[in-house]
Amino acid sequence: MILNFGRRAAKRYLHAAINEQDAVCIKPGLDFGAFLVAKSNLALGQVHRVSVFIPNEGRFISKASGLIAIQGLKKASESGETWLVSGDVTWDSGESLLLVTSYLKDPISHTGNRSKRRGVRMPVSIAATLNHNLSECIDVSRNGIGLVVRNTDAKVGDKLPFSLLLASGAEPTGVITISNVFHRPDSKTLVGGTIRWSNGSSRFHSGLLPFSNIELDETVFS
C-alpha cells in the first residue's frame, strides 16, 4: 500500500503515542497499525504501549490503548529524523476496539479540528535554539515547526529567530511567527508557528519532511 502525504490524506492522520512518545498514526487497524515517530531507541521485536487519539465529530477525543509488537522499522525521511514503525496491535479492551472500528467505518466524521498549519505535523527530536535559548524541535510540517523551551516569554504573534542543530553539522536558521504557546506541567513551554527560512536553509527543512510516498509492506501482517 502507498500512503500519500498530500493535504487530503493528512486530514485522516491521528495523533498517537508509543510509550508516551509523540507519534502520528497513519494506518490504524483492528489488529495492526503503522505510526510515524521521532528517531529513538525503538527496535524490531520489542513490544510497547500504544495509544491512538480519535476525535468524535470534531468535539471530543477518545483514546484507544493497547500494545504494539514492532515488526517493521525504517526511516521515513531523508534525514532519518522520523521513522515508520509498524506491527501487530492488541487493543486493551472492547471499548478501544470499538473506537478503532468506528473510525475505520467513517474516517471523515473523525477529522477533528484543523491545525493552523497546512499539512500534518511530523514528529522529530532535534536540538534547536529559540531566540538564542536552547530548545528542542519536536515536530515539523510543510510550513511550520514546534519547539519546546524551558524559559521563554514568547507570545502569540511574536517573530523570533530560531535554528536547528542537525546531526550532519548543518545549522539552518529562520524566523518563526508564533501561533500558539502552551505551558506544560514539566515547566517547559511548547511554542508552535509558521516559519520563514534564511537564505539556503529551506533545503535542510525539505530533508526533514517524510517522503512524499511511503511504502508499507503489509506482508508482515499476513
Side-chain angles (χ1 to χ4, degrees), residues 150-172:
R150 183 168 294 278
N151 297 307
T152 182
D153 55 0
K155 302 181 296 296
V156 172
D158 286 351
K159 298 180 185 295
L160 301 176
F162 74 91
S163 66
L164 303 183
L165 312 176
L166 305 183
S168 65
E171 189 174 336

Side-chain angles (χ1 to χ4, degrees), residues 19 23 46 48 60 64 103 106 114 122 130 142 170 192 205 222:
N19 270 8
Q46 292 180 343
H48 292 287
F60 305 103
Y103 173 79
D106 188 10
R114 297 290 178 270
M122 296 301 174
L130 174 65
R142 193 169 300 175
H205 178 244
S222 60

Side-chain angles (χ1 to χ4, degrees), residues 116-119 141-145 193-196 205 209:
K116 292 181 180 179
R117 284 196 240 155
R118 290 196 313 247
S141 61
R142 193 169 300 175
N143 67 333
I145 58 172
T194 56
I195 49 177
R196 186 180 74 252
H205 178 244
L209 296 172

Side-chain angles (χ1 to χ4, degrees), residues 136-201:
E136 178 189 8
C137 177
I138 61 168
D139 69 60
V140 297
S141 61
R142 193 169 300 175
N143 67 333
I145 58 172
L147 299 161
V148 171
V149 61
R150 183 168 294 278
N151 297 307
T152 182
D153 55 0
K155 302 181 296 296
V156 172
D158 286 351
K159 298 180 185 295
L160 301 176
F162 74 91
S163 66
L164 303 183
L165 312 176
L166 305 183
S168 65
E171 189 174 336
T173 61
V175 173
I176 180 171
T177 299
I178 308 300
S179 59
N180 60 78
V181 176
F182 176 71
H183 298 288
R184 305 195 317 193
D186 61 1
S187 299
K188 294 182 180 180
T189 301
L190 173 61
V191 174
T194 56
I195 49 177
R196 186 180 74 252
W197 292 103
S198 304
N199 290 340
S201 288

Side-chain angles (χ1 to χ4, degrees), residues 24-194:
V24 175
C25 181
I26 62 175
K27 188 171 178 61
L30 300 183
D31 55 6
F32 65 90
F35 302 83
L36 295 174
V37 298
K39 178 179 64 178
S40 66
N41 60 356
L42 298 176
L44 292 173
Q46 292 180 343
V47 177
H48 292 287
R49 299 294 307 171
V50 65
S51 300
V52 178
F53 300 91
I54 301 176
N56 179 14
E57 297 179 353
R59 293 191 299 271
F60 305 103
I61 295 179
S62 301
K63 181 172 72 171
S65 301
L67 296 172
I68 183 170
I70 299 177
Q71 296 174 289
L73 182 65
K74 61 183 179 181
K75 70 177 186 178
S77 63
E78 179 184 339
S79 66
E81 293 291 345
T82 301
W83 288 355
L84 173 65
V85 177
S86 56
D88 290 337
V89 173
T90 303
W91 299 107
D92 282 346
S93 65
E95 182 181 0
S96 287
L97 182 59
L98 185 61
L99 284 170
V100 177
T101 302
S102 174
Y103 173 79
L104 293 174
K105 284 182 178 178
D106 188 10
I108 295 298
S109 69
H110 296 81
T111 52
N113 296 325
R114 297 290 178 270
S115 168
K116 292 181 180 179
R117 284 196 240 155
R118 290 196 313 247
V120 68
R121 302 179 183 191
M122 296 301 174
V124 295
S125 179
I126 303 171
T129 66
L130 174 65
N131 204 22
H132 311 295
N133 294 313
L134 287 178
S135 65
E136 178 189 8
C137 177
I138 61 168
D139 69 60
V140 297
S141 61
R142 193 169 300 175
N143 67 333
I145 58 172
L147 299 161
V148 171
V149 61
R150 183 168 294 278
N151 297 307
T152 182
D153 55 0
K155 302 181 296 296
V156 172
D158 286 351
K159 298 180 185 295
L160 301 176
F162 74 91
S163 66
L164 303 183
L165 312 176
L166 305 183
S168 65
E171 189 174 336
T173 61
V175 173
I176 180 171
T177 299
I178 308 300
S179 59
N180 60 78
V181 176
F182 176 71
H183 298 288
R184 305 195 317 193
D186 61 1
S187 299
K188 294 182 180 180
T189 301
L190 173 61
V191 174
T194 56

